[in-house]
Amino acid sequence: VQLQASGGGLVQPGGSLRLSCETSGFRLGDYAIGWFRQAPGRQREGVLCINSNDVTTYYVNSVKDRFTISREDHKNRVYLQMNSLKPEDTAVYYCAAKIYGCLGGDYWDAYDYWGQGTQVTVSS
């Protein structure tokens, strides 16, 4: 089982990035996928989650109007579109998979599989 986040980088405030989470070794359509982030000196926090019915659950209010999660199960990929990025969005972003939907999906320990992170830096 593997999840690999990619697409991070350096972007100016107000800019956009699209992260990808490529999965393998399990049937993506049976799993919810969550995105987490961890900023320097801070605990990892759940950002949002998409279940197998394409329903999104947000865990961070400040991203609700800026971040969108989507999935293409036939490509084994989940995406995180991040718009209007702010310096406080700077963090390492991780994707993770859990069965039985997004219930409790703001807790890292609720997930069955975890991937490596990708760095997002928002700075001028």
Side-chain angles (χ1 to χ4, degrees):
V1 171
Q2 283 192 323
L3 294 92
Q4 181 62 56
S6 63
L10 173 63
V11 63
Q12 292 187 340
S16 298
L17 280 176
R18 188 194 195 202
L19 305 185
S20 294
C21 177
E22 183 175 2
T23 70
S24 62
F26 64 99
R27 189 174 183 273
L28 178 58
D30 292 336
Y31 286 76
I33 299 295
W35 283 94
F36 286 75
R37 66 186 181 184
Q38 187 166 18
R42 301 189 66 177
Q43 288 190 333
R44 191 172 302 183
E45 66 173 351
V47 181
L48 73 174
C49 173
I50 186 169
N51 69 12
S52 57
N53 294 319
D54 284 341
V55 176
T56 300
T57 301
Y58 288 90
Y59 305 121
V60 177
N61 286 333
S62 65
V63 309
K64 282 185 178 179
D65 296 327
R66 302 185 294 119
F67 289 12
T68 303
I69 189 172
S70 61
R71 60 193 295 157
E72 291 187 309
D73 291 348
H74 65 287
K75 294 184 178 181
N76 294 316
R77 285 181 181 267
V78 177
Y79 306 98
L80 178 62
Q81 178 67 43
M82 305 186 295
N83 299 326
S84 302
L85 282 161
K86 304 176 181 180
E88 51 263 42
D89 296 318
T90 295
V92 178
Y93 283 72
Y94 302 84
C95 56
K98 69 181 296 292
I99 204 158
Y100 303 134
C102 291
L103 184 65
D106 51 337
Y107 293 97
W108 184 252
D109 290 346
Y111 287 78
D112 301 290
Y113 308 123
W114 305 270
Q116 300 296 316
T118 185
Q119 175 72 47
V120 172
T121 303
V122 184
S123 175
S124 55

